[in-house]
Amino acid sequence: MAIITANPLALVMLAFVILGNVLLLLILLRKPGKWYLRSLIKSNPENPTQQTNLLNRIQNQMEKQQNLLQFVTQNQQTLLRKTEEMEQRLKNIGRLQTVSTAPPPRVMDNPQPTPRLSPADHLVQVLEQGGDRAALAQWSAVKVKITAASQSRTYRGDVDGVELEPAQAGASFLVFQIRGENLLVPNQETLGVFQRYQRGHTGLFVLNRQSSQPTPQVGKPARVQPQGKLWRVVEQGEVLIRG
């Protein structure tokens, strides 16, 4: 809470107001009444002209006193008004000081939302963590292998649009369907083949050799599109091996 001390200017103005009241009281005490002045004139008979002049001078003096009294009263009211204005300003300053010294409201830190992984990144993350079966089971998966026709074309150097077919026995790859995307990854046995022979399947995966890579991992799934009962590769993937 802010403490407002007395302002010296306000004290001086208040002293003027008190002094004005005292002067006004003295003037009122010393001011003679009209009835008293007329009695003095009657009790001291003089020349009628002199009496008239004396009466006029007295009336002029009384009018001057009245003007002076009115002036003092106006000044008194002005001083009172200015004193009230000064007190109000001091109160406003005190309120401003209280507000300025108050501690700012505490703003709660809004937690930043965790960015949502893409389907491919999400699959890679699960595979990097060991390919937990419970985690992989949340997505629909199909075991596939390269068709004989695509295998023959790759031997001739035609690596565009390699096709795969469902297979229970002899499957080398898995197609995961994640949020509308079809992602192809090699199984663990095929990853071991990539590491032993230091080469990948042409048209499916390229190899990225790293000396610090302890075990082969999927760096990027390949993308495939369904074509009837087959799957056609539309984008190659990447496999990380030690080399």
Side-chain angles (χ1 to χ4, degrees):
M1 178 182 297
I3 301 176
I4 303 175
T5 58
N7 190 293
L9 180 59
L11 295 177
V12 172
M13 295 176 66
L14 186 60
F16 273 111
V17 173
I18 296 174
L19 180 60
N21 290 332
V22 172
L23 291 175
L24 179 62
L25 181 61
L26 292 175
I27 291 172
L28 293 176
L29 291 176
R30 295 175 60 87
K31 178 181 174 181
K34 290 183 179 182
W35 61 272
Y36 178 72
L37 293 173
R38 293 182 180 276
S39 63
L40 286 177
I41 295 173
K42 292 181 179 181
S43 61
N44 295 283
E46 296 180 1
N47 188 297
T49 302
Q50 293 180 352
Q51 291 181 359
T52 301
N53 294 335
L54 178 60
L55 180 59
N56 291 334
R57 287 198 301 271
I58 293 174
Q59 289 178 346
N60 293 334
Q61 187 66 27
M62 292 177 61
E63 290 177 357
K64 291 181 181 180
Q65 290 180 355
Q66 289 178 352
N67 293 335
L68 178 60
L69 177 60
Q70 184 178 3
F71 175 76
V72 172
T73 303
Q74 291 177 352
N75 285 345
Q76 179 184 5
Q77 293 175 351
T78 302
L79 288 174
L80 287 173
R81 184 175 65 255
K82 290 184 177 181
T83 302
E84 293 174 355
E85 292 176 355
M86 181 63 67
E87 291 178 354
Q88 186 63 38
R89 290 178 182 176
L90 291 176
K91 291 180 180 179
N92 293 337
I93 293 174
R95 283 195 293 267
L96 290 175
Q97 290 176 348
T98 302
V99 173
S100 61
T101 56
R106 182 180 179 183
V107 179
M108 301 299 294
D109 295 332
N110 294 327
Q112 296 296 326
T114 303
R116 187 179 183 182
L117 295 175
S118 66
D121 291 339
H122 195 178
L123 177 58
V124 170
Q125 185 182 70
V126 173
L127 295 174
E128 287 178 347
Q129 295 171 354
D132 182 65
R133 290 188 176 182
L136 294 175
Q138 62 182 308
W139 302 307
S140 175
V142 180
K143 296 179 180 180
V144 295
K145 66 179 181 179
I146 301 176
T147 64
S150 291
Q151 193 74 49
S152 298
R153 286 192 289 108
T154 57
Y155 288 153
R156 297 192 301 267
D158 184 6
V159 297
D160 293 333
V162 176
E163 294 179 338
L164 303 105
E165 60 184 352
Q168 293 300 324
S172 301
F173 307 93
L174 294 169
V175 176
F176 286 95
Q177 296 174 319
I178 305 175
R179 299 204 301 268
E181 293 192 20
N182 301 298
L183 304 174
L184 178 72
V185 296
N187 57 23
Q188 290 296 323
E189 183 179 354
T190 305
L191 283 174
V193 173
F194 289 169
Q195 181 64 62
R196 286 194 300 273
Y197 294 98
Q198 295 286 305
R199 66 181 180 85
H201 278 281
T202 305
L204 293 178
F205 292 93
V206 296
L207 296 184
N208 185 350
R209 295 175 176 82
Q210 297 181 356
S211 58
S212 60
Q213 184 67 34
T215 58
Q217 291 284 345
V218 176
K220 176 185 176 183
R223 297 181 186 275
V224 296
Q225 287 183 348
Q227 282 190 339
K229 294 182 179 181
L230 303 179
W231 301 90
R232 183 181 178 86
V233 177
V234 295
E235 183 181 344
Q236 290 189 91
E238 180 187 47
V239 172
L240 307 178
I241 64 172
R242 184 181 67 257

